[in-house]
Each structure stands twice: as C-alpha cells, then as structure tokens.
Amino acid sequence: MPSSSAPLTIDDINPKVINFEYAIRGEIVLRAQCIQQDLLTKPSSYPFDEIIYCNIGDPHSLGQKPITFFREVLALCDHPALLDKSETHSLFSSDAIARARHIVNNIPGGTGAYSHSQGIRACREEIAAGIEARDGYSANANDLYLLDGATPGVHMIMQLLLGSEKDGILCPIPQYPLYSASIAVHGGTMVPYYLDEANGWALEVTELRRQLKLARAEGIKVRALVVINPGNPTGQVLSEENQKDIIRFCKDEHLLLLADEVYQENVFAENKKFFSFKKVSRSMGYGEKDLSLVSFHSISKGYCGECGKRGGYMEVTGLDNDAKEQLYKIASVNLCSNISGQILMSLVMNPPKSGEESYKSFQQERDSILASLGRRAKRFAEALNKLEGVSCNEAEGALHLFPRLHLPERALKAASAIDMPADTFYVRKLLDATGIVMVPGSGFGQAPGTWHIRSTVLPPEKKLPDIISRLSTFHQRFMDEFRK
Amino acid sequence: MPSSSAPLTIDDINPKVINFEYAIRGEIVLRAQCIQQDLLTKPSSYPFDEIIYCNIGDPHSLGQKPITFFREVLALCDHPALLDKSETHSLFSSDAIARARHIVNNIPGGTGAYSHSQGIRACREEIAAGIEARDGYSANANDLYLLDGATPGVHMIMQLLLGSEKDGILCPIPQYPLYSASIAVHGGTMVPYYLDEANGWALEVTELRRQLKLARAEGIKVRALVVINPGNPTGQVLSEENQKDIIRFCKDEHLLLLADEVYQENVFAENKKFFSFKKVSRSMGYGEKDLSLVSFHSISKGYCGECGKRGGYMEVTGLDNDAKEQLYKIASVNLCSNISGQILMSLVMNPPKSGEESYKSFQQERDSILASLGRRAKRFAEALNKLEGVSCNEAEGALHLFPRLHLPERALKAASAIDMPADTFYVRKLLDATGIVMVPGSGFGQAPGTWHIRSTVLPPEKKLPDIISRLSTFHQRFMDEFRK
C-alpha cells in the first residue's frame, strides 16, 4: 500500500521520463534565468550586465524583427472586422488586406474554429504549391499535416512507430535532443550513428550500415532513419550525391526516412545548396511505392524566426493507406494545430510575389536577415577557430556552431572530481564569467572522449565583437588556469 | 529481413496506436465530410442541403462570434506597430490598446519569440490572479503551465505517470475519449468507473473504491483519478459534498486528482454552481502536502469558444520538487505553447473590468452567448425526451447531451448482422437521412447493453427547430422500421 498522505513524488514518475535529458532548456539555462533575475536587483554582483542566450535558436528574442507582411496578415485574420473599415487601408498594405480576405474567406468558421486535423485545406494547398515550386515535383495537400512547430510532428511519428524498446530509430550523433527525448518517452531505442567531424560532419552510409547491422544483431527492429539537413547542431549541408546514397539505403533497408529540413532556408556556404529529400528521391525516379519519407518544416527558423507562433508542417509520403489512417487518428486526438501558425506557415511557403505592394519590402527584410545570419556565422566560426585548443567546422547552414574543445588534462580532472562532464564544467564557468549561455556538447551526444559546445549564431551583429571578446578573454583565462 | 521495397504499412505501426479509438473525429465525421464535398457538386443527391456538425464542441464553426475585445487585443499584439499609429484609435477600443501595450511590454522578445516553457510569466500571473478571484484561495504563477489547448496537458501528465501497462488511471465511463486514447498510446491501463445514469450521472465514491480494489487485485498501480466537471459527454455538475468525498478518496488512496474543468463557465442548471476542486480542497484545509491536483482549463469552451487559437492551462499543485522537475522537463522538450493562445487564456481569466471602455460590450457578448447556450441545452434535451424510447438527463452544464436510446430488438439485430455497434448504426442512418452528425455512445464508453448518442448543443437557435424536426421525423421512421 502506498503511504496515504504524501503528495506525488519522484517514485510515482514514469522512469522513461526520468531517464531522458533536454539540455537546450536544461540546468545551465535555469541557472542563467536565475542570474538574469538577480541582475535586476543586484546589477553589480556579476562581472557582466546582461545574459546573452546562445543556447536556443530563438531569433526574435535576440532582436530579429518579424516580416511586416506576415504580421499584417495575421492581425487582419485575427480581427477580420478590420477588413471592412476604410481606415484599415491607411494602416495595412493592400496585398496584406487582399491576402487576409482570401484566407478568411477560405476558413468558414474563422480563426476561432478547429480546422481539419491535418490543417486548413486552403493553407495546405498553398503549402503544397510552395513545395512544388521549390522542388519541381508535385506535392499533395492530403500529404500535409500542419503542426504547432515541427516538434509535435516528431512526437507523432515516434508514437506511430515505437511499440516497445525493440523498435529502434537511427539518429545522428551529435543530434538535436528532441529526437533522443521523444524516442525515450515513447519507449523506443535510439540507434546512434556518428557524423564524421574530421570530414566536415559528413554523413557516411558505411557508418549507417555498420550501426544498423549492430542494432539488428541485438534484436532491434530499426524503423526509421533521422537525418537533419542542414545539420543541427553541426551546420553541415549534405551534397546531392550523399542524399542519393542515403535514399537508396532507406529503400534497401525498408526504413522510413525522417528528414528534418527546418533549416532549409539557412544555407550560407556559397558552394552549397539545399535539396529536399523529396526532390532528390523523385529525381532518382523513386515514387510513393519506393520510399517512405517524412519531411519536417517550421516557421521558427529560416528568415521568419517566428518561434512563438508555433507553426510547422510535415509532408508524409510513401505510407500505405492503413498506416496513413493510423497517423490521421493520432492527429485527430490533438484536434488541430493553432490557426495563426497554420496561416503563417502558408505565408512562408507562398510569400509576396513580384508586382504586389509588399514584394520589395518583403525581399529586403528577408535578404537582410539571411545575409546578416551568414556574416554572423562566418565571423563567429573564425573567432572560435582562433581560440587555443578549439576547432570549429565551417557553418555551411542552420543557425548553430558546434566547436570541439581540446581541454587541458587538469580541466578534465577538475570536472571529473565534481562528477560533471567537462563540457558542462566549461559552459558553466563561461556563464558565470561572461553571462554567455551555451549548451554543453554532451546534451547532443558526441564521440566518446571528445568535448564540444553548441552556440547559436543569433546575437545581433553590433554585439558580436563584444561577445567574441568576452568569450576569448574567458577562454584564455580558463586555459591558463588549467594548463598545468 | 523485411521486404526491401514496400512503403510503410500497418505492420510497421505501434500496436498501441492501432488499438485506440477517437470517435469524435472518427469514421462518421469522415463520412460527413465526404457528403459535404458531394453536396457542393450534387446538391440534389441528398435529402438535406447542409451538414450540421453536432459531433464536436466547436462553437465558432456553428456561427458563434468571437468576443470583440479579445480579438482586438490579439490583433494588436500580433502587429504591435499599430500601437504607435493614430489611426489605430479609430479602429480599436482604448482598453484593448492599453491591454495590448501592457502585454507587449511584458514580452521582451515579442510574440515571435519562444516563451518560458511554462508560458509567459506576465500571462501566468494574470491567470493566477484570475484563479484567486474565482476561488478565494491563493494561486501561484509557478504552478501554471500554459498549453496549446488542454489536450497537450493531458498527454504530458499521462507521459509523466505511465511507465508500463501496470500503471493505471481511473477514468469515468462515459468519458471524453482523449483520456482513453492518451492512456493507450502512453502504454498505461485505463481503470473504468461507471457514472450512475439513473441518478443524473452521479459519481459515487463507492464505485471508485470498488474499481480501485479490483484494479489493485490485478496488480495495477493506480496513479490518478480523472474527473470531468462539468461532465463530458454527460453534462452533470458535481455537488460540493460529492467533491469533498472525491478529494478525501484521492488523499486516502494516494491518487493524483486530474480535474478536467474546461466547462467551468458552462453551468446552466439554476440550482447548480461550479466549484473548482482546488477551492473545495483548500476549504477542507487540505494544502500542498495533502492532495496532488491538476486542474485543466481551456479557451475553447465557456463563452469564449476559441478552439482554433489553441490555448489552455493546467494548474499543478501538490507535487514534490523532484516530480515537478520531471514535468518541467517534458514541457521544455516542447519549447512552449503558442503565444496568442497564452495571451487569450490570460484575457479569459482577466477580462475587461467595470469602468473600462469594453466592459459593457464584453458583458453583453458573454452573457448573450451563455444564455443562448443554456436555452439550447434545455430545448434540445426536452425534444430528445419526447422521442419514443429516448431518455436524456438534464444538461446541468458543459456543451453536450448524452441521451440513452432504447432501440427495438430488430434494430439491434440489424446492426449486429453487419458487425456494427447499434449506436453507430443509428448515428449513421441519422447522418444519411438528415445531415446531422452525432457521435455514437460507444466512442465514450457506456454500461454494457446500453446505447447512447452524444450531441453538442451548439447549433444556432434559429436552426434548432428545423434540426429537432428532422431528428424527430428520422427517429420515428427508424423506430417504425425496426419495431417488429
């Protein structure tokens, strides 16, 4: 019999929950939030005057402005009574008014009604048209699931696939820890494959084969392969040839390919280009019968950066009808994703066109954000590579850097003495000395014996010199302290 | 080895997913959507000219208008540039402008940034103040988790509690099938307790005790008790005395009380009043150490009915710190709920006050919606009770009716002959004959050998006479057809 008057304790909690980690909003971030509160009342008690959050890809929190056209349309859809007022024309652009009217006319119950569980059909059709324009291959609104960000889509797919710990998912190491967390809470097994850091975080199919074989030998039924392209936290952009090899591997091994493509608009390297896995597979002549593929996209990244709006989609192809029905059932329990996020996702995939009033300002806003992100990524990576014992692959895309730290033996021992991973030890000291919040590499997984940190490239350009200088000074002192 | 070129099929799907049902958006609704499409091109092929969705509590889809003040604030928060324009004052009420300015000032990154994983602190503080005003007992912003509707909160709690099929949750029968679905996909066991239909759907603690004992005898560790008050699909409102008994039961048996209180504003019966479980427990002198309690609320119901905005909260009290940390971790993986939903939830809990410009119009809008819902519930229940072989308890609250059907023997046999539950058989014939969409009672659970249907009370008042007349005609024909 349980004790009769204790409240719920850790003994009542699902052990699968206790066992997973999510470092991006973990201990270091909670510590940073406490310091931030402290700074309000005791500004002189720290050697810095603000916290710089480099832990999470949250552009607006670091000053990035929303795209004006998007916000105009959202406001009008929220309060459609405005559409009939003459004053509205002096406050909103004409194409935003026209677009909002079109959207509102296509949502019979308005933005306050549940949509179809896969999302408003009109929004899905606009997104399908956007995918077709991007890829040059057809896309179907029936294959789209509109989501509150990409995250719930990952959970839905894990729920769909993972019946027990005998069901495995191939995941990159390092990886975005949503995957490990979602696999853990849904009771499956993560089957890791290692990206090759020495080779620009390359994804080698030989490594996939090796890990698949090992997992199968242990009786794991591997259900799917996760590929993050552009990479998070690693920033590499896959070549088309590499993608073809991965697609053949999935087809041959009957694996669902889970393509996390949320950073598709964030490609900085001049010699690189984003290709969707759907486009590459169709270019190989692979259709619905050949490859099961889920592609995730989001409004939170790219140039849009609208994290707080929670919008995203997944495009699901190559499932048979019975399997699709089960996925629809999972979606239907959640009723639908938020309508503003759905609308915004459709705007991202169908932005203002040449000739429309907002086209020029939209282009300027978008291009200036993307160019600035590219400059920041390059500058930050260069600065990191100048630090003693730090090596950082070029950021080809996405919003993060994942430099390796070659730490002195005494630092490793000092961390080990307090039972802390060496990268956490470093990141914590960095926070306490500078107010800069980064995430230890151990939160993403890394080759045994190596240590990394993840930083976004999002701090505004005007602050970057100061941040780099604080980081460099801290790093030199850290190395000096532990050198002997 | 799996076959090498088949796409994902039902054989690859988690059996826990295959096994659950979610009738509210199930087969009948899909059939209705097909007919609706058909009606556009072949209006003469059906004996009705529109589909009336009584399957889901989605007020705006049936014509309910949003609260003007709420939408004004949302639009201004989405596009804060409006706050600085003089024309804005001719389009928006002054208190909406002031409120939006206050909110925007309290979200440093704007509505496009991720919030704290529990939600924007300023919104949580307003909600906590609203709970205090409602209950007369203190509420803490740290105990609140803002959600994309109440649904994700239920999933989070199930994830937190359910480690294996040996973990059970006591759930009412009939119940809102989110609970059975969520328990199933998270791998736990639903422990049913039956509401007493003959006694106005009363919740008897003796029945709770009986079922708990049976479950424990089977080795199930029962973790929590779900109570839906006002009831869904059953519409009863619990008395304070009954609530006290339930609270004592939870304390004595070390059960987390999951109080689904999303219909708290929808109480129609004049002799009934909603009391939150938190208020009742505090009035008994029970504090954090005595009772573990989660209360769910939502913007989708009440007078607000903003289903598409996806906003909700759960207030979590009586968990020890380690357990709270695990819950926070689950929330953090999902990053945060959508900001517009968070803002709207805070407006519902802190609506315009006396003396503010929008106060009167807000009151009028709210009261007129609630009064109309009450009239519709009463009228619909009366009409159902006039049908041969139909008995319906009074709808004291919520937005649904759950009448019992006493069907002729020949109808039961006809259904059984095509391997269909008799209530599904009835509901399908109802749809085909009238365009009215209701949900079979089997989707909610019911005492063996009894048959029910669930209908919302949401169709607009001007359509109600026609709907009732169509339903009555259909029902009489159905009874006549199967009488002998």
Side-chain angles (χ1 to χ4, degrees):
Chain A
M1 275 297 287
S3 87
S4 71
S5 69
L8 202 78
T9 71
I10 195 83
D11 298 333
D12 301 301
I13 303 299
N14 176 3
K16 290 182 286 202
V17 168
I18 295 172
N19 289 338
F20 81 80
E21 291 297 337
Y22 189 71
I24 290 168
R25 291 203 150 185
E27 192 205 335
I28 293 286
V29 181
L30 291 172
R31 187 182 177 90
Q33 286 165 346
C34 290
I35 296 176
Q36 190 170 28
Q37 281 298 311
D38 247 21
L39 278 171
L40 295 175
T41 49
K42 295 173 279 177
S44 60
S45 53
Y46 294 91
F48 46 84
D49 51 16
E50 65 168 337
I51 296 286
I52 306 281
Y53 288 100
C54 299
N55 58 300
I56 189 165
D58 187 9
H60 290 215
S61 74
L62 291 165
Q64 184 176 308
K65 294 278 164 278
I67 301 289
T68 308
F69 174 81
F70 292 173
R71 292 301 190 91
E72 287 182 319
V73 175
L74 285 187
L76 292 165
C77 290
D78 268 347
H79 192 36
L82 295 175
L83 291 170
D84 303 321
K85 304 270 173 74
S86 59
E87 296 95 323
T88 301
H89 292 273
S90 63
L91 286 172
F92 293 84
S93 61
S94 61
D95 53 341
I97 294 173
R99 184 72 78 97
R101 200 183 294 280
H102 172 75
I103 292 169
V104 168
N105 287 342
N106 277 286
I107 317 179
T111 61
Y114 292 123
S115 71
H116 186 283
S117 291
Q118 290 182 232
I120 297 160
R121 171 154 286 275
C123 290
R124 282 187 281 142
E125 279 165 0
E126 303 234 340
I127 294 168
I131 295 172
E132 285 184 7
R134 181 195 67 192
D135 290 348
Y137 293 95
S138 72
N140 189 333
N142 293 329
D143 295 336
L144 294 172
Y145 289 74
L146 305 198
L147 308 163
D148 293 312
T151 302
V154 172
H155 285 315
M156 284 163 68
I157 297 293
M158 294 305 169
Q159 224 165 61
L160 188 73
L161 297 177
L162 300 174
S164 80
E165 71 285 354
K166 288 290 171 198
D167 295 318
I169 307 286
L170 269 162
C171 271
I173 297 293
Q175 52 108 23
Y176 175 52
L178 162 64
Y179 293 98
S180 48
S182 187
I183 293 167
V185 292
H186 292 104
T189 293
M190 182 167 111
V191 179
Y193 66 90
Y194 287 85
L195 301 174
D196 185 0
E197 181 168 16
N199 197 6
W201 296 114
L203 196 171
E204 308 284 358
V205 173
T206 48
E207 165 72 359
L208 295 178
R209 259 186 242 293
R210 197 171 70 88
Q211 298 292 356
L212 178 66
K213 199 172 159 189
L214 284 172
R216 284 187 176 155
E218 285 173 24
I220 305 291
K221 187 157 169 111
V222 180
R223 301 285 184 180
L225 166 69
V226 173
V227 176
I228 311 174
N229 179 45
N232 177 7
T234 41
Q236 83 283 23
V237 178
L238 299 180
S239 73
E240 199 178 352
E241 273 317 303
N242 196 184
Q243 289 181 277
K244 286 182 179 170
D245 290 342
I246 294 165
I247 288 166
R248 272 182 219 108
F249 171 76
C250 286
K251 176 174 156 66
D252 292 347
E253 302 294 348
H254 186 75
L255 297 175
L256 171 59
L257 176 54
L258 299 176
D260 180 336
E261 300 180 324
V262 301
Y263 293 102
Q264 58 187 260
E265 282 140 355
N266 301 109
V267 177
F268 310 128
E270 280 173 16
N271 58 341
K272 292 282 182 161
K273 192 167 158 15
F274 169 79
F275 299 99
S276 77
F277 271 103
K278 175 129 169 285
K279 176 189 175 110
V280 177
S281 67
R282 295 295 179 265
S283 79
M284 296 163 71
Y286 284 16
E288 291 272 339
K289 298 275 176 204
D290 301 299
L291 181 72
S292 302
L293 171 65
V294 181
S295 164
F296 298 97
H297 196 15
S298 164
I299 59 174
S300 302
K301 313 302 169 188
Y303 60 87
C304 179
E306 291 272 18
C307 300
K309 298 291 177 197
R310 313 309 287 126
Y313 75 75
M314 58 180 178
E315 186 188 14
V316 181
T317 51
L319 267 62
D320 79 358
N321 282 337
D322 290 343
K324 270 190 212 163
E325 244 178 50
Q326 298 301 321
L327 182 59
Y328 176 79
K329 195 170 66 176
I330 290 177
S332 74
V333 175
N334 300 324
L335 300 167
C336 69
S337 61
N338 85 86
I339 305 298
S340 296
Q342 295 188 26
I343 292 170
L344 193 40
M345 188 79 247
S346 77
L347 299 178
V348 166
M349 297 303 282
N350 183 15
K353 297 276 181 300
S354 172
E356 293 172 350
E357 185 186 332
S358 301
Y359 181 61
K360 274 203 178 156
S361 66
F362 163 73
Q363 265 196 321
Q364 273 164 7
E365 291 175 356
R366 180 194 60 192
D367 295 347
S368 125
I369 290 167
L370 289 175
S372 166
L373 287 169
R375 286 193 300 272
R376 284 179 265 173
K378 200 173 163 200
R379 198 152 157 202
F380 215 161
E382 281 169 3
L384 286 162
N385 274 318
K386 281 187 193 148
L387 301 180
E388 180 192 349
V390 175
S391 57
C392 184
N393 279 319
E394 182 194 1
E396 299 174 339
L399 300 175
H400 316 282
L401 296 168
F402 199 64
R404 181 167 173 190
L405 307 177
H406 302 264
L407 299 174
E409 199 56 39
R410 280 192 52 233
L412 304 183
K413 279 189 182 147
S416 165
I418 54 170
D419 213 17
M420 193 181 270
D423 47 13
T424 306
F425 181 74
Y426 179 92
V427 159
R428 202 155 152 170
K429 282 190 172 281
L430 172 68
L431 169 62
D432 291 349
T434 66
I436 300 169
V437 190
M438 294 185 181
V439 189
S442 41
F444 304 85
Q446 51 201 346
T450 69
W451 303 106
H452 297 77
I453 49 178
R454 187 186 85 160
S455 177
T456 71
V457 301
L458 293 171
E461 283 185 280
K462 62 171 192 258
K463 286 191 182 175
L464 211 49
D466 175 51
I467 292 170
I468 288 172
S469 141
R470 278 149 76 180
L471 172 64
S472 305
T473 308
F474 160 79
H475 184 78
Q476 206 49 56
R477 285 197 190 139
F478 181 94
M479 296 301 274
D480 289 345
E481 181 183 348
F482 291 103
R483 193 178 310 280
K484 44 196 174 172
Chain B
M1 275 297 289
S3 86
S4 71
S5 69
L8 202 78
T9 71
I10 195 83
D11 298 332
D12 302 298
I13 303 299
N14 177 2
K16 291 181 285 200
V17 169
I18 295 172
N19 288 337
F20 81 79
E21 290 298 337
Y22 189 72
I24 289 167
R25 291 203 151 187
E27 193 206 335
I28 294 287
V29 182
L30 291 172
R31 189 183 177 89
Q33 286 164 347
C34 289
I35 296 175
Q36 192 171 27
Q37 280 300 313
D38 247 19
L39 278 171
L40 295 175
T41 50
K42 296 174 274 176
S44 61
S45 52
Y46 294 91
F48 46 84
D49 51 17
E50 65 169 337
I51 296 287
I52 306 279
Y53 288 100
C54 300
N55 58 300
I56 189 165
D58 187 8
H60 290 214
S61 74
L62 290 165
Q64 185 177 308
K65 294 279 166 274
I67 301 288
T68 308
F69 174 81
F70 292 172
R71 291 302 189 90
E72 287 182 320
V73 174
L74 284 187
L76 292 166
C77 290
D78 268 347
H79 192 36
L82 295 174
L83 291 170
D84 302 322
K85 303 270 173 75
S86 58
E87 297 95 324
T88 301
H89 293 271
S90 65
L91 286 171
F92 293 84
S93 63
S94 61
D95 52 341
I97 294 173
R99 183 71 77 97
R101 200 184 294 282
H102 172 75
I103 292 169
V104 168
N105 288 341
N106 277 286
I107 318 179
T111 61
Y114 291 124
S115 70
H116 185 285
S117 292
Q118 289 182 236
I120 297 160
R121 172 154 285 276
C123 290
R124 283 186 281 143
E125 280 167 358
E126 303 234 339
I127 294 168
I131 296 171
E132 285 184 9
R134 180 194 69 192
D135 290 347
Y137 293 95
S138 74
N140 188 333
N142 293 328
D143 295 336
L144 293 171
Y145 289 75
L146 304 198
L147 307 163
D148 294 311
T151 302
V154 172
H155 285 314
M156 283 164 68
I157 296 294
M158 294 307 170
Q159 221 165 62
L160 188 73
L161 296 176
L162 300 174
S164 81
E165 71 286 355
K166 287 290 170 197
D167 296 317
I169 307 286
L170 270 162
C171 271
I173 298 290
Q175 51 110 22
Y176 175 51
L178 162 64
Y179 293 98
S180 47
S182 188
I183 293 167
V185 292
H186 292 104
T189 293
M190 182 166 110
V191 179
Y193 67 91
Y194 287 85
L195 301 173
D196 184 0
E197 180 166 18
N199 198 8
W201 296 115
L203 195 170
E204 306 286 358
V205 173
T206 48
E207 164 71 358
L208 295 178
R209 260 187 244 293
R210 197 173 69 87
Q211 299 291 357
L212 177 66
K213 200 173 159 188
L214 284 173
R216 285 186 176 155
E218 286 173 24
I220 305 290
K221 187 159 169 105
V222 180
R223 302 285 183 180
L225 166 70
V226 173
V227 176
I228 311 175
N229 179 46
N232 177 6
T234 41
Q236 84 283 24
V237 177
L238 300 180
S239 73
E240 198 178 352
E241 273 316 303
N242 196 184
Q243 290 182 276
K244 285 182 180 170
D245 290 342
I246 294 164
I247 289 167
R248 273 183 218 107
F249 170 76
C250 287
K251 176 175 154 68
D252 291 348
E253 301 295 349
H254 186 76
L255 297 175
L256 171 60
L257 176 54
L258 299 177
D260 181 335
E261 300 179 324
V262 301
Y263 294 102
Q264 59 188 260
E265 282 139 355
N266 300 108
V267 177
F268 311 128
E270 280 174 18
N271 58 340
K272 291 282 183 160
K273 192 167 157 19
F274 168 79
F275 299 99
S276 77
F277 272 102
K278 175 130 169 285
K279 177 187 175 114
V280 176
S281 67
R282 295 295 178 266
S283 79
M284 297 163 73
Y286 284 16
E288 291 271 339
K289 298 274 177 207
D290 302 300
L291 181 72
S292 302
L293 172 65
V294 181
S295 163
F296 298 97
H297 196 15
S298 164
I299 59 174
S300 302
K301 312 302 168 189
Y303 60 86
C304 180
E306 291 271 18
C307 301
K309 297 291 177 197
R310 312 310 287 125
Y313 74 76
M314 58 180 178
E315 186 189 15
V316 181
T317 51
L319 267 61
D320 79 358
N321 283 335
D322 290 343
K324 270 189 210 163
E325 246 178 51
Q326 298 301 322
L327 182 58
Y328 176 79
K329 195 170 66 176
I330 290 177
S332 74
V333 175
N334 299 326
L335 299 167
C336 68
S337 61
N338 85 86
I339 305 298
S340 296
Q342 295 188 27
I343 292 170
L344 194 41
M345 189 77 247
S346 78
L347 299 178
V348 167
M349 296 304 282
N350 183 16
K353 298 275 180 299
S354 172
E356 293 171 349
E357 183 185 333
S358 301
Y359 181 61
K360 274 202 177 156
S361 66
F362 163 74
Q363 266 196 321
Q364 274 165 5
E365 291 174 356
R366 179 194 62 193
D367 294 350
S368 126
I369 290 167
L370 290 174
S372 165
L373 287 170
R375 285 193 300 271
R376 283 179 264 174
K378 201 173 163 199
R379 197 152 158 202
F380 215 161
E382 281 169 4
L384 285 162
N385 275 318
K386 281 186 192 148
L387 301 181
E388 180 191 350
V390 174
S391 57
C392 184
N393 279 318
E394 182 193 3
E396 299 174 340
L399 299 176
H400 315 282
L401 296 168
F402 199 66
R404 180 168 174 188
L405 306 178
H406 303 264
L407 298 175
E409 199 57 39
R410 279 191 52 232
L412 304 183
K413 280 191 182 146
S416 167
I418 53 170
D419 212 17
M420 195 182 270
D423 47 13
T424 306
F425 181 76
Y426 179 92
V427 160
R428 200 154 153 171
K429 283 191 172 280
L430 173 68
L431 169 63
D432 291 349
T434 66
I436 300 171
V437 190
M438 295 187 181
V439 189
S442 41
F444 305 85
Q446 50 201 347
T450 69
W451 304 105
H452 297 78
I453 49 177
R454 188 187 83 159
S455 177
T456 71
V457 301
L458 292 171
E461 283 185 278
K462 61 171 193 256
K463 288 192 181 173
L464 212 49
D466 175 50
I467 291 170
I468 288 171
S469 140
R470 277 149 76 182
L471 173 64
S472 306
T473 309
F474 160 78
H475 184 79
Q476 207 48 56
R477 285 198 190 139
F478 181 96
M479 296 301 274
D480 289 346
E481 181 182 349
F482 291 104
R483 195 179 309 279
K484 43 196 173 164

